[in-house]
Amino acid sequence: MNQSILADQKLTPMMEQYCAIKKTLSEDTVLFFRLGDFYEMFFDDAIRASEILNITLTGREGGEAGRVPMCGIPYHAFHGYVRTLLDHQLKVAICEQIGDPKLAKGLVERKITRIITPATYLDEDDKGKNLEYMVSIAGDGKSYAAAYLDLGTGEFYVREFQPNRLQSELALLNPREVILSKTLAENHSLVSFIREALNVSLTIYEDWVFEPEEGLRHLTEGLQLGSKASIPFYDRPLAVSAAGSILYYLKDHLHTGIGHLRVPVLLEIHDYMILDRQTQKSLELFSNLSGKRSGATLLSIIDQSLTSMGGRTLYQWLTHPLLRRPQIEERQDGVEEFYKDPSWTQSVRTLFQGVKDMERTLSRLNYGVANARDLVNLKIFLVRVPQIQSLLSRAKSPILKDLLKSIHPFPEIRDLIERSIVDTPPLSVKDGGIIRDGFRTQLDELHGIAKNGKSWILEFQQREIERTGIKSLRIKYSQVFGYTIEVTKSNLHLVPPDYIRRQTLANGERFIVPELKNWDEKISGAEDTIKVLEYEIFNEIRQTILKDLGPLQMMAKAVGTLDALAALAVTAIQKRWVRPEIQESAELVIRGGRHPVVEAMLPAGQFVENDTVLDTGENQLVVLTGPNMAGKSTYIRQVAQIVLLAQMGSFVPAKSATVGLVDRIFTRIGASDDLAHGESTFMVEMIETAHILQTATERSLLILDEVGRGTSTFDGVSIAWAVCEQLATGSVRPRTLFATHYHELTQLEDHFPSVKNYNITVRETKEGIIFLRKVVRGSSDRSYGIHVARLAGIPKTVTDRADAILHILESENTEATQIIEGKKGAKKAFKDDRQPTLFDLIVKNHPIVDEIKNLTVEGLTPLEALNQIARWKERLKNE
């Protein structure tokens, strides 16, 4: 039932209040309306939420509107329900009762206290290593900026890029939600990509929100900065617009506890390698080739971190490989120090085991949604800090020394939590049971009243049993009536006259007496006061800790970096990786290189190592040939992955490696249609190839696989040849690996000194071929496609016939070439004067060629003749 149709209908006061609040929200927001101990949903929200949450749809009287749809959830168990709605790209507005229902005259006042969105839900503490970015895009058509914030950690970044990078940037960030201006949202391709490919929530604001002046105001006010000069990029309008709109979004959604946010950092394009969407996919950085983010990926191979902070750090490093040699070598020095002393590394890592996500804990504390268990987890880590300091005191590498400076034990905070919070507090901070005895005198007195009162209750119960003779008499407590005397039906005749009846039950009745009522008020009052006071004390402790929020955040970040460096060292130790030498030159030399993901999936020692030599001189372009399934794609991918690992500061899977810095890795691997935009496999291939040729620089690394295969053979060969020729002779000559089945391309080596032929070897046997997986100099002259067809299970009759046809084509290669090219002068296959076709060439060698000739002379088309062949073959078989 749509609320808009109720405008002229008289609703109950509560329903009018609900509708007035609901009108202020967007269509994708579900309103959680507090009624007592439940959050209720009405009208369309109820219908939508009941289906998604799998809860019962009921109804409630709504005045003239009659019975309106309703569903609800217990307020104390809302977390799981909220997460489910967020996963369906919906938002949730929390509407609380502001006034005390006991004191309210008429309707209780209610208002929205916050709006929870997919990237702003901090209540959960089990998000693991995942990043929860919200991304805002600002652009003027010529260039764009993306600001991205993880509210749970406070990390805030901005990047600027060209229009053709827009979708790649979003794919790299994998956001939970995206913010666009109204004008930018007119880009239907972008909106489709966000909603369908990324499947995330999209918020659209009016263009004025993205004005640079507005952005500066939101940043300075929201981050409490003294002036715009405190923003490192205040003179970059697009960066300011994107970052400022995120602060506006937080304010618009009533997120006020943002003191943990850091001033956004502008990531300059000349500091980090650009990874486009195709490269991310081809190199299986975070998802495999089928698009699943689970399973074997490059990130899963290197991520042996023990903390959520360390896992996020590795993700950040992998998505932002470095371009400056000093920064790369600084990380390498840290990894190497851990690598050279496995025992010391294990001692450090032991102290990281079981450490909770401190970054998110601090954000939750600042945001006001933390619980006492968060404080206990913080204390547990602070207890370990002196041991971490002691172990790291021997560090010699600059990066480890710098990180040690941010590690502090915060003894005052540790002792405060130890003295105040019980070891195993309950989850809720509003129901008591979290503060230790002896921490606050007033609280101890209240506990004494409550404890003594309960002892009195037990004594009173025994006294009443003796006075009445009712042995089954019990003192029971309920939320509605408090403490009462419960008597079964069979004993009601023994009830004394001073008992006052309060409630009739199915099996008895409940009574009170003035003395019990007085103690009930004392106990209940003490317990209620205890809950309120404990919550006040908890918030006092929280505020005390937040005085050191900045240094605590720096320590959490340092722990994440230490964990990431140690994880890379452990990976290198376990997998026999080596430290690559980073050079400013264009030289790329890998000895005994291995594919990190594929190797991890094979038994130890089975992966075949291969060497690589690339530069911008005599080894600038490698033409790689070899059979299907021999490992060409694996080999060229492994080279790119080794380069990427090296530039993120990791060791690499090789016996040795020298890596001349690469500014970008371009890949053109695999075939895919983009039918939604009317683009065929070949068109997509050509668009991607054009982008590479137009964008690559002398410092780029190109990984090209089967360029040109999406069209006819001669068109494909021509395009592939021309692409190689351009790469080898153009003004920009990037290092290139070009895998192909077009053996004609091996002739390039004879014409261009920078081109070198390599192939992947096989061994032919009577049973077939054996893939040796070894890359050697020289070219391959066969693809062994029919052998692969046999391995795939193609019927023997088909593969045998394919062998025969291949033999015909190879034995009469000149004539076949003339026919394919449509040249005149090819031998006439039949008696008529028509130009022979490739079909003619094949069928003239058929076992029943005479009968086929007769058919074609009689005027049948080649296709009709081929169908007749099939019928005759069946006849011969039967005969």
Side-chain angles (χ1 to χ4, degrees):
M1 181 184 295
N2 194 314
Q3 286 128 252
S4 62
I5 66 175
L6 304 175
D8 298 327
Q9 294 183 337
K10 181 71 174 175
L11 301 175
T12 63
M14 192 275 290
M15 282 297 174
E16 287 183 350
Q17 184 186 49
Y18 171 88
C19 289
I21 294 172
K22 177 63 180 174
K23 285 178 183 177
T24 65
L25 301 172
S26 60
E27 281 295 318
D28 61 349
T29 303
V30 175
L31 177 60
F32 276 21
F33 192 75
R34 182 71 177 268
L35 284 177
D37 291 338
F38 284 81
Y39 286 121
E40 304 288 2
M41 289 151 275
F42 301 100
F43 302 105
D44 294 344
D45 278 359
I47 297 171
R48 177 167 54 179
S50 64
E51 294 178 356
I52 295 173
L53 302 176
N54 193 27
I55 56 179
T56 303
L57 181 67
T58 61
R60 183 185 180 101
E61 185 59 37
E64 292 181 3
R67 194 168 177 81
V68 302
M70 180 186 83
C71 66
I73 59 171
Y75 84 95
H76 56 78
F78 85 106
H79 296 93
Y81 295 107
V82 169
R83 169 52 63 196
T84 301
L85 291 172
L86 296 179
D87 288 342
H88 281 75
Q89 315 315 325
L90 295 171
K91 302 175 183 179
V92 178
I94 305 296
C95 182
E96 297 285 5
Q97 297 173 167
I98 302 304
D100 187 342
K102 298 176 182 177
L103 304 177
K105 295 181 180 179
L107 201 61
V108 179
E109 182 184 359
R110 294 179 175 86
K111 75 173 185 178
I112 295 173
T113 56
R114 61 175 170 148
I115 301 174
I116 303 171
T117 66
T120 62
Y121 188 41
L122 305 186
D123 299 52
E124 293 179 331
D125 59 358
D126 60 349
K127 294 182 179 180
K129 301 175 181 180
N130 295 328
L131 288 158
E132 301 269 318
Y133 283 136
M134 67 172 68
V135 178
S136 181
I137 305 291
D140 58 10
K142 297 178 181 178
S143 59
Y144 288 88
Y148 48 107
L149 166 70
D150 186 330
L151 189 62
T153 66
E155 292 194 340
F156 201 173
Y157 299 101
V158 185
R159 286 183 71 154
E160 295 177 325
F161 49 88
Q162 296 303 307
N164 58 12
R165 291 274 309 139
L166 191 50
Q167 293 188 8
S168 292
E169 285 291 329
L170 286 172
L172 189 69
L173 295 171
N174 191 36
R176 289 285 291 165
E177 52 185 306
V178 177
I179 305 164
L180 296 179
S181 67
K182 195 170 184 180
T183 296
L184 198 52
E186 293 174 359
N187 182 337
H188 300 301
S189 175
L190 175 61
V191 171
S192 175
F193 178 76
I194 293 168
R195 285 181 167 155
E196 297 172 17
L198 296 179
N199 189 29
V200 298
S201 174
L202 174 62
T203 299
I204 299 172
Y205 281 133
E206 295 292 337
D207 289 353
W208 66 262
V209 173
F210 290 81
E211 291 293 332
E213 295 78 11
E214 286 293 316
L216 286 172
R217 183 172 67 83
H218 293 312
L219 286 168
T220 52
E221 292 179 1
L223 300 176
Q224 298 182 349
L225 304 175
S227 70
K228 68 178 184 180
S230 299
I231 304 168
F233 48 87
Y234 71 91
D235 56 347
R236 311 274 277 269
L238 291 179
V240 167
S241 298
S245 63
I246 284 187
L247 269 295
Y248 177 86
Y249 177 89
L250 293 175
K251 182 179 179 181
D252 186 43
H253 288 71
L254 307 178
H255 296 284
T256 54
I258 57 175
H260 65 289
L261 297 194
R262 302 164 195 175
V263 175
V265 176
L266 179 65
L267 302 180
E268 296 285 5
I269 194 169
H270 52 259
D271 289 331
Y272 301 94
M273 183 191 296
I274 296 173
L275 298 173
D276 61 36
R277 189 180 170 203
Q278 181 63 33
T279 300
Q280 299 166 36
K281 180 180 178 181
S282 299
L283 300 186
E284 299 180 280
L285 301 187
F286 324 109
S287 59
N288 56 31
L289 293 178
S290 62
K292 296 181 180 178
R293 295 183 81 86
S294 58
T297 64
L298 189 57
L299 179 62
S300 71
I301 297 301
I302 63 172
D303 187 3
Q304 299 207 45
S305 60
L306 297 173
T307 69
S308 297
M309 296 90 73
R312 288 194 295 271
T313 300
L314 286 173
Y315 184 94
Q316 184 75 6
W317 289 355
L318 189 60
T319 55
H320 299 79
L322 299 169
L323 294 182
R324 298 186 183 275
R325 179 179 172 184
Q327 285 89 334
I328 296 172
E329 291 179 337
E330 182 184 49
R331 280 186 197 165
Q332 288 180 325
D333 291 342
V335 175
E336 185 169 37
E337 191 160 5
F338 281 125
Y339 175 85
K340 287 183 174 179
D341 195 337
S343 177
W344 175 64
T345 301
Q346 184 56 40
S347 297
V348 175
R349 279 168 57 85
T350 298
L351 296 173
F352 292 157
Q353 288 180 332
V355 171
K356 298 297 182 180
D357 194 336
M358 286 196 299
E359 285 184 314
R360 295 201 186 279
T361 293
L362 293 170
S363 297
R364 285 157 51 80
L365 278 169
N366 180 74
Y367 201 72
V369 295
N371 56 51
R373 294 180 188 179
D374 290 320
L375 299 187
V376 172
N377 291 330
L378 178 59
K379 178 197 72 175
I380 290 171
F381 176 73
L382 293 179
V383 169
R384 299 181 185 183
V385 167
Q387 294 174 269
I388 296 174
Q389 288 178 310
S390 176
L391 285 169
L392 290 178
S393 63
R394 52 168 281 188
K396 294 181 173 56
S397 60
I399 190 171
L400 296 188
K401 285 183 176 181
D402 286 343
L403 292 171
L404 179 58
K405 295 175 184 177
S406 299
I407 307 292
H408 305 289
F410 295 93
E412 297 85 1
I413 293 176
R414 181 193 63 210
D415 294 343
L416 174 61
I417 298 173
E418 176 63 35
R419 288 185 295 107
S420 62
I421 306 297
V422 298
D423 291 334
T424 55
L427 190 61
S428 172
V429 294
K430 293 185 177 181
D431 294 333
I434 62 175
I435 304 299
R436 285 187 187 276
D437 292 340
F439 182 73
R440 185 70 58 88
T441 302
Q442 181 186 0
L443 190 60
D444 291 342
E445 292 173 353
L446 290 168
H447 278 303
I449 293 173
K451 185 176 181 181
N452 293 335
K454 290 180 179 179
S455 297
W456 182 89
I457 292 291
L458 292 174
E459 293 173 1
F460 177 77
Q461 176 179 284
Q462 185 59 38
R463 191 167 71 239
E464 289 302 298
I465 289 174
E466 293 173 357
R467 180 167 80 95
T468 63
I470 303 172
K471 293 183 178 181
S472 63
L473 181 147
R474 294 290 180 270
I475 307 299
K476 296 289 184 71
Y477 179 81
S478 70
Q479 290 283 351
V480 178
F481 297 105
Y483 287 102
T484 58
I485 304 167
E486 187 171 306
V487 180
T488 59
K489 280 186 177 181
S490 60
N491 292 303
L492 289 177
H493 64 285
L494 298 176
V495 170
D498 60 333
Y499 277 23
I500 302 170
R501 182 182 290 107
R502 293 303 304 268
Q503 184 182 18
T504 299
L505 305 173
N507 298 318
E509 294 187 3
R510 287 176 176 171
F511 304 86
I512 61 167
V513 293
E515 186 180 16
L516 177 61
K517 182 64 176 175
N518 290 337
W519 272 99
D520 178 28
E521 291 175 353
K522 288 182 182 180
I523 297 169
S524 298
E527 291 177 340
D528 289 343
T529 306
I530 286 170
K531 292 176 182 178
V532 172
L533 184 56
E534 286 206 13
Y535 184 59
E536 290 177 357
I537 294 171
F538 173 80
N539 280 320
E540 290 174 10
I541 297 168
R542 184 174 71 89
Q543 291 300 328
T544 299
I545 294 171
L546 289 176
K547 292 177 182 178
D548 287 308
L549 176 61
L552 284 166
Q553 283 183 309
M554 289 179 63
M555 181 170 69
K557 188 68 177 174
V559 169
T561 304
L562 284 168
D563 189 22
L565 292 169
L568 291 177
V570 169
T571 299
I573 293 168
Q574 293 178 350
K575 300 181 182 298
R576 300 179 295 110
W577 290 11
V578 299
R579 175 173 177 164
E581 179 185 353
I582 306 299
Q583 292 189 353
E584 300 287 351
S585 71
E587 188 177 30
L588 177 56
V589 180
I590 302 169
R591 302 299 179 192
R594 310 185 302 276
H595 191 296
V597 180
V598 175
E599 183 186 31
M601 300 170 66
L602 297 174
Q606 285 200 9
F607 190 90
V608 178
E609 301 172 346
N610 277 300
D611 298 341
T612 303
V613 178
L614 282 174
D615 52 41
T616 52
E618 295 182 353
N619 300 285
Q620 179 248 325
L621 193 154
V622 167
V623 174
L624 180 65
T625 53
N628 297 96
M629 292 180 60
K632 297 190 300 297
S633 296
T634 298
Y635 171 73
I636 61 177
R637 281 190 176 101
Q638 89 182 28
V639 174
Q641 289 181 334
I642 287 173
V643 168
L644 195 152
L645 287 169
Q647 291 191 213
M648 70 170 280
S650 171
F651 283 24
V652 299
K655 289 180 177 178
S656 68
T658 299
V659 177
L661 287 171
V662 170
D663 63 354
R664 286 189 68 169
I665 298 174
F666 291 93
T667 63
R668 163 85 281 283
I669 299 175
S672 61
D673 291 333
D674 191 357
L675 299 179
H677 296 91
E679 295 170 355
S680 67
T681 298
F682 183 64
M683 176 59 80
V684 171
E685 179 184 334
M686 290 298 99
I687 290 172
E688 292 175 355
T689 303
H691 170 66
I692 292 171
L693 294 175
Q694 294 164 4
T695 313
T697 72
E698 198 89 3
R699 302 303 299 268
S700 301
L701 175 64
L702 275 55
I703 306 298
L704 305 177
D705 189 15
E706 304 292 354
V707 170
R709 69 177 174 179
T711 186
S712 66
T713 302
F714 278 83
D715 277 353
V717 170
S718 302
I719 291 171
W721 183 291
V723 167
C724 288
E725 197 173 280
Q726 172 69 20
L727 293 171
T729 63
S731 57
V732 174
R733 302 179 185 180
R735 289 160 285 182
T736 304
L737 291 170
F738 196 106
T740 184
H741 281 292
Y742 294 142
H743 300 120
E744 294 85 348
L745 300 186
T746 61
Q747 299 173 35
L748 287 163
E749 183 178 336
D750 300 330
H751 302 281
F752 305 105
S754 62
V755 178
K756 293 293 180 288
N757 289 328
Y758 284 82
N759 75 94
I760 299 186
T761 56
V762 298
R763 179 184 299 151
E764 295 193 49
T765 67
K766 293 181 179 180
E767 290 76 23
I769 62 172
I770 299 173
F771 297 115
L772 301 180
R773 316 289 185 193
K774 199 67 180 174
V775 177
V776 298
R777 279 284 280 126
S779 60
S780 172
D781 58 358
R782 295 187 63 186
S783 292
Y784 298 94
I786 296 173
H787 174 77
V788 175
R790 289 194 178 97
L791 294 177
I794 297 294
K796 188 174 183 301
T797 54
V798 175
T799 55
D800 287 349
R801 179 60 181 148
D803 264 330
I805 294 173
L806 179 63
H807 177 72
I808 295 168
L809 295 176
E810 290 179 337
S811 63
E812 303 197 28
N813 186 55
T814 302
E815 185 178 357
T817 301
Q818 289 178 329
I819 290 172
I820 291 171
E821 293 178 329
K823 292 181 179 178
K824 295 183 179 180
K827 296 177 183 178
K828 299 297 186 291
F830 302 113
K831 297 175 183 178
D832 59 353
D833 292 329
R834 62 186 174 82
Q835 180 69 22
T837 65
L838 189 60
F839 176 80
D840 295 332
L841 178 63
I842 294 171
V843 300
K844 82 172 188 176
N845 291 278
H846 197 279
I848 47 177
V849 66
D850 291 337
E851 297 192 53
I852 298 172
K853 287 180 180 179
N854 293 333
L855 283 173
T856 54
V857 169
E858 291 171 5
L860 293 181
T861 65
L863 181 60
E864 291 169 336
L866 186 61
N867 291 332
Q868 186 61 54
I869 291 170
R871 288 192 291 271
W872 279 348
K873 283 190 68 176
E874 186 64 26
R875 187 192 71 190
L876 292 172
K877 179 180 176 182
N878 293 334
E879 291 176 354

